[in-house]
Amino acid sequence: MDVRTICLGILTRGDATGYEIKKLFEEDGYEHFVEASFGSIYPALNRLTEEGYVSVRSEAQEKRPDRKVYSITPAGRTAFVASLLKPLPEDRHRSPFVFAMLFADLLPGPRVTAMLDAYIHQIGEKLAHLNARVDASKSSGERFVADYGRTVYEATLNFLRTHRAEIEKQQPAQAAE
Amino acid sequence: MDVRTICLGILTRGDATGYEIKKLFEEDGYEHFVEASFGSIYPALNRLTEEGYVSVRSEAQEKRPDRKVYSITPAGRTAFVASLLKPLPEDRHRSPFVFAMLFADLLPGPRVTAMLDAYIHQIGEKLAHLNARVDASKSSGERFVADYGRTVYEATLNFLRTHRAEIEKQQPAQAAE
DNA sequence: GTTTGCATGTAAACGGTTACATGATTGG
DNA sequence: CCAATCATGTAACCGTTTACATGCAAAC
């Protein structure tokens, strides 16, 4: 899902500035499945404006750059829905952690333990973040996705906690053949 | 995790050609967490060779390009382990499907149903693929990762099957406000 | 007779990130 | 006093994908 489509999607829920769109990514539970940086959001919004999928109004501010508030246009709404109706790209899950676990036997035991601890902690944080904002979900889709995230994170944590010994009990090994 | 590191990792398990590395990605359960195309693998192997992390021997073949069989060198092994010892990049999960579900209320009901069916089928396939090769896992890490994948896929399927009604019971809606 | 598998590689295009530039205000 | 928040934007860089080029053999 490219940044343009993501911006359009967020704007179907209400007007926002580029800055706010970025915040919504990080705070509103979107960050588990999509991400984007300012370097891609601002150009995307400019292009969407040129194409007529969004409109802008500038709100002058003192001592700060003008806020540029974007609204999705009817054409934008149509284009957004159309992009969801055509075949979706496949999921991409890239997990350096899981990749590393594949080679646990080449790593020192304590390092594997530390990696597991760190990863479990990290997932725990994400789960806590999701639980912290149960209330805020408005549409049925948002609630569904939040519950989905919770379920997956919980299953992950549970697996890691109950199975970690299987790769930890290796004695510290050097990268030997 | 970049393609170079992934190639190095695969080569710790035995010699392989670029072509075979690609196959291993797809067949050996790696594809759930990492991916790469020929267009990135071949240049990566050339660069690794220049840097001394892998060595090549050419096996002449009639009527086909020579097989270039790559082996990891001691320096490559050291570099690979070192790359796993430094802080790992965070996971990236990008799921166009989940993103689309966030906007289920903007889509026609039957379409949401079709998307759920397709996704459930797709995850089911991945799970089946993983189950089909339980035996082949050699290291404890490989077994651990395969079990991890199974657990997560099963939890996902279970959630989708038991909660799909929550976004399906919407009546067919137009993209209206 | 067409598709799939084997086998390597290049070039252009793409999408995105990172770092930089600018700068006031508020909270710790 | 420093960090974070607000606010937009550009440019260089990066890794990767896609499409192309080549071509035989075996399976369907």
Side-chain angles (χ1 to χ4, degrees):
Chain A
M1 221 80 274
D2 54 28
V3 176
R4 302 177 72 241
T5 308
I6 295 165
C7 288
L8 238 29
I10 289 178
L11 291 174
T12 63
R13 300 307 186 196
D15 297 355
T17 65
Y19 190 84
E20 286 164 353
I21 288 173
K22 178 85 194 303
K23 294 285 107 164
L24 286 168
F25 273 40
E26 287 159 7
E27 287 160 25
D28 271 31
Y30 294 98
E31 84 278 18
H32 305 286
F33 312 105
V34 290
E35 46 191 331
S37 60
F38 287 130
S40 55
I41 291 172
Y42 288 123
L45 288 169
N46 285 328
R47 219 185 113 195
L48 288 167
T49 307
E50 281 166 32
E51 293 168 340
Y53 294 144
V54 303
S55 61
V56 210
R57 56 173 191 283
S58 267
E59 292 180 359
Q61 299 194 124
E62 282 160 34
K63 316 284 189 180
R64 267 187 207 164
D66 293 358
R67 275 164 60 85
K68 295 172 80 172
V69 184
Y70 293 89
S71 306
I72 192 165
T73 63
R77 232 165 240 279
T78 306
F80 176 65
V81 172
S83 75
L84 298 185
L85 290 178
K86 59 184 180 189
L88 299 174
E90 283 227 347
D91 287 10
R92 283 183 182 202
H93 293 225
R94 299 191 167 212
S95 178
F97 167 75
V98 172
F99 178 76
M101 290 306 100
L102 233 22
F103 301 97
D105 59 313
L106 302 179
L107 301 172
R111 172 64 183 167
V112 173
T113 293
M115 286 167 103
L116 283 161
D117 286 339
Y119 194 73
I120 287 170
H121 175 78
Q122 197 186 294
I123 300 290
E125 293 277 277
K126 289 182 181 177
L127 184 56
H129 185 232
L130 221 48
N131 285 328
R133 27 158 281 111
V134 190
D135 39 299
S137 301
K138 274 144 195 170
S139 74
S140 59
E142 277 167 40
R143 264 174 279 125
F144 179 83
V145 169
D147 288 343
Y148 174 90
R150 251 170 241 132
T151 302
V152 173
Y153 284 144
E154 276 163 13
T156 301
L157 281 177
N158 189 51
F159 177 85
L160 292 175
R161 285 179 181 139
T162 56
H163 292 260
R164 57 184 296 173
E166 289 163 25
I167 43 173
E168 283 185 304
K169 63 186 168 195
Q170 304 282 120
Q171 36 252 41
Q174 288 311 333
E177 196 126 30
Chain B
M1 220 83 272
D2 56 29
V3 176
R4 301 177 74 240
T5 309
I6 294 164
C7 287
L8 238 28
I10 289 177
L11 292 174
T12 64
R13 302 306 187 196
D15 297 355
T17 65
Y19 191 86
E20 285 164 354
I21 288 173
K22 178 85 193 305
K23 294 285 107 166
L24 286 168
F25 273 40
E26 287 158 10
E27 287 161 25
D28 271 31
Y30 294 99
E31 83 280 16
H32 305 286
F33 313 104
V34 290
E35 46 191 329
S37 61
F38 287 130
S40 55
I41 292 171
Y42 287 123
L45 288 169
N46 285 329
R47 219 185 112 195
L48 288 168
T49 308
E50 280 166 33
E51 293 167 341
Y53 294 144
V54 303
S55 61
V56 210
R57 57 174 190 282
S58 268
E59 291 180 1
Q61 297 193 124
E62 282 158 36
K63 316 284 188 178
R64 267 187 208 164
D66 292 359
R67 275 165 58 85
K68 294 172 80 172
V69 183
Y70 293 89
S71 307
I72 193 167
T73 63
R77 233 165 240 278
T78 305
F80 176 65
V81 172
S83 74
L84 298 185
L85 290 179
K86 60 183 176 187
L88 299 175
E90 283 227 347
D91 287 10
R92 282 182 181 202
H93 292 227
R94 298 189 169 214
S95 177
F97 166 75
V98 173
F99 178 76
M101 290 306 99
L102 232 24
F103 302 97
D105 59 313
L106 303 180
L107 301 172
R111 173 63 183 168
V112 174
T113 293
M115 285 166 104
L116 283 161
D117 286 339
Y119 194 72
I120 287 170
H121 174 77
Q122 196 186 294
I123 301 290
E125 293 277 276
K126 287 183 182 176
L127 184 56
H129 186 229
L130 222 48
N131 284 328
R133 29 158 280 109
V134 191
D135 40 298
S137 301
K138 275 144 193 169
S139 74
S140 58
E142 278 168 39
R143 264 175 277 126
F144 179 83
V145 169
D147 288 343
Y148 174 90
R150 251 170 243 133
T151 303
V152 173
Y153 285 143
E154 276 162 14
T156 301
L157 281 178
N158 189 50
F159 176 85
L160 293 174
R161 284 177 181 142
T162 56
H163 292 260
R164 55 184 297 172
E166 289 162 25
I167 42 173
E168 282 185 303
K169 61 186 168 195
Q170 304 281 121
Q171 36 253 42
Q174 287 312 330
E177 197 125 31

